[in-house]
Amino acid sequence: MPFSVPGLADDLTPDLLDRWNKEIDRQFRSLEPDLGSKYFTLEPDDPAAERVAVTWFGHPAEPEFCFDAETARALSDWGVRGRRALHNEYCEYAVISAVDTEGRMRPKRVQVTTELPEYYLMLAEHDPARLREIVTATLATEPPRWQELYGPAVADPNLLSPAQRRVAFARHLTGHGQHRDLIDADVPAAPAGSLNAVNALFMAHPINGLDDLIYIVMFGAQPYARRNAAGGFEPAGRDQIFRRQPGLEALSCRHADPAAALAAADAAFQGRTVSFADPLGMYIQQFTSEVFLFEGGPVPDPWIRLGRGRQGLHQRLEFGPPDDDPHFLDEITVVEGDAEEPLTGGYQVVRQVQVGPVVALGAPTPVPPGDLVVLPDSPGPIRCRDARVCTDTVGPLKEAFDAEALSGPMGGGPRGGR
């Protein structure tokens, strides 16, 4: 089954749509030797398959389980440094700031994106003009110069081969995303360009890609089981599944990976096939805007703008006053229970955003005993605080944040994240 454009957001030529489907198939084929399962397919045979949204909250889990919620908020809101290190729940954001009438730089609005970088890479490689049209419409700005998309040395991408355009765009805006061809071409993990740093145009964290999304659903789409006290079988638990292979324990501590994997595993245990519903993509499933108040009442409707998708398949949220409005983001109050505080960054917003893909589940069928993947009992709960990400990523980021806070004006905090 060929997939439509993510979110049904764009009208693409048949050739471009075919290239997008080839990219999906390429990622699937690369994972199939290790993760192939009769319970996962890209082409569901059942036309009556049940569409189910798999959801989780979009704020980064790692800095909170490594430290605490206050640290998680500070580090996640640390501009592009926080984004590239921590925004790994298939949800990234950027805060747009502006100068008020007193000359102070203040947060104006938050841009949230769940768009897959491979989609933009495909456009950049095969149709630069269409890419520029989509970027212009998404950011509601003047058409970007070619150098903003492909790097300062590229005045005209049409003079490059498709492969050269892919590498140039990746080097400038996506990073290598753990794709082998881009790593071999010396594309760095962190892109050099500012367009997708100042804005949240599409996701750029190395594990927010199409390959990772397919991987975690395929990983989960097995009838994992454990023996129960009666000698029969029941669904295996989270810790058992994520201890199946060494090094995967930390994935169970995020929001995204256990939600996606366990949903697929539950379906497979019922003998249901799992696939991605058309169109394949990452979507903003829910935004709890009711916790945000402005001047004691609901936030004005024009301050909540969903986009890059139709029929409820949105991949973009802009929250806050537009440029022509005199108000600022920090005039909004966040009310949760008895606690009230001003809205100052994107972390408070994505805590209220649920994201995830839509999957298609076949009808339940009996699972042959030989299909069960029987896992041993877990020796104990996975200790998230002991995960390597705490010492290798989050800890060093906090040290850098604290050092910049001390070196800032009057020790008042980091001077900027971009």
Side-chain angles (χ1 to χ4, degrees):
M1 177 185 72
F3 288 99
S4 305
V5 171
L8 307 174
D10 306 310
D11 293 323
L12 297 187
T13 64
D15 177 66
L16 283 177
L17 188 57
D18 179 62
R19 292 183 183 280
W20 172 237
N21 277 274
K22 287 179 177 176
E23 178 64 19
I24 294 171
D25 187 68
R26 184 176 73 86
Q27 300 291 350
F28 167 67
R29 298 300 171 193
S30 70
L31 296 167
E32 192 176 26
D34 294 327
L35 298 173
S37 165
K38 63 185 285 186
Y39 297 95
F40 180 87
T41 176
L42 279 183
E43 300 183 10
D45 297 323
D46 185 359
E50 179 186 1
R51 292 174 63 97
V52 176
V54 180
T55 66
W56 55 85
F57 285 100
H59 62 286
E62 290 175 343
E64 183 165 350
F65 69 66
C66 290
F67 290 97
D68 50 50
E70 181 180 353
T71 301
R73 174 175 165 182
L75 297 182
S76 300
D77 280 346
W78 195 20
V80 72
R81 293 189 68 173
R83 177 180 171 188
R84 288 177 178 166
L86 301 177
H87 295 194
N88 59 7
E89 303 284 3
Y90 300 94
C91 178
E92 299 184 20
Y93 63 84
V95 177
I96 306 301
S97 299
V99 178
D100 67 12
T101 56
E102 298 180 5
R104 297 175 298 170
M105 184 67 71
R106 295 169 61 190
K108 188 72 173 177
R109 60 186 175 276
V110 177
Q111 296 176 342
V112 181
T113 182
T114 62
E115 290 210 67
L116 296 167
E118 288 88 353
Y119 180 69
Y120 282 81
L121 267 170
M122 181 275 298
L123 293 170
E125 181 177 355
H126 297 292
D127 196 336
R130 190 72 181 102
L131 167 71
R132 185 155 68 171
E133 290 174 0
I134 290 172
V135 171
T136 301
T138 300
L139 298 182
T141 185
E142 294 295 318
R145 295 177 295 109
W146 289 127
Q147 291 89 339
E148 294 179 88
L149 297 173
Y150 291 92
V154 182
D156 184 357
N158 296 295
L159 300 178
L160 304 178
S161 69
Q164 289 173 323
R165 289 195 291 262
R166 174 179 168 86
V167 170
F169 184 79
R171 182 171 285 120
H172 202 61
L173 286 188
T174 70
H176 61 59
Q178 299 183 340
H179 296 297
R180 175 47 55 187
D181 67 312
L182 297 177
I183 293 174
D184 291 344
D186 294 325
V187 174
S194 63
L195 188 64
N196 194 34
V198 174
N199 300 281
L201 177 59
F202 52 82
M203 296 187 293
H205 192 287
I207 60 171
N208 280 347
L210 172 65
D211 54 340
D212 301 286
L213 176 59
I214 297 175
Y215 166 86
I216 196 59
V217 176
M218 289 184 71
F219 170 77
Q222 298 275 6
Y224 295 112
R226 63 182 174 191
R227 294 190 179 275
N228 57 29
F233 295 100
E234 61 186 29
R238 182 197 69 167
D239 290 354
Q240 289 175 296
I241 291 173
F242 282 94
R243 279 196 168 112
R244 185 190 177 200
Q245 296 177 7
L248 296 183
E249 292 92 340
L251 299 185
S252 72
C253 299
R254 297 177 185 153
H255 299 309
D257 297 302
L262 293 178
D266 180 67
F269 191 82
Q270 300 175 47
R272 309 180 75 167
T273 58
V274 182
S275 64
F276 289 99
D278 183 39
L280 191 160
M282 282 295 305
Y283 302 112
I284 296 173
Q285 302 285 359
Q286 184 173 334
F287 176 45
T288 309
S289 60
E290 294 81 5
V291 304
F292 301 101
L293 299 179
F294 174 69
E295 296 182 343
V299 170
D301 289 341
W303 292 12
I304 306 172
R305 302 176 294 283
L306 289 164
R308 295 296 295 152
R310 295 185 284 119
Q311 301 177 18
L313 300 171
H314 297 107
Q315 303 170 95
R316 185 173 186 80
L317 166 67
E318 291 206 33
F319 183 66
D323 286 337
D324 59 359
D325 192 296
H327 297 288
F328 285 81
L329 194 72
D330 54 11
E331 296 175 56
I332 297 173
T333 301
V334 187
V335 181
E336 294 188 80
D338 295 331
E340 296 187 17
E341 60 180 352
L343 176 57
T344 58
Y347 184 82
Q348 294 159 288
V349 174
V350 295
R351 276 180 57 85
Q352 308 300 330
V353 174
Q354 293 186 49
V355 302
V358 181
V359 298
L361 305 180
T365 59
V367 177
D371 283 2
L372 293 176
V373 180
V374 182
L375 301 177
D377 288 338
S378 178
I382 292 173
R383 289 173 52 87
C384 294
R385 191 177 285 263
D386 294 338
R388 284 184 57 187
V389 69
C390 294
T391 54
D392 293 357
T393 301
V394 183
L397 186 72
K398 184 178 185 300
E399 290 176 4
F401 180 90
D402 291 343
E404 187 160 327
L406 291 173
S407 65
M410 303 297 291
R415 294 163 290 183
R418 297 192 173 95

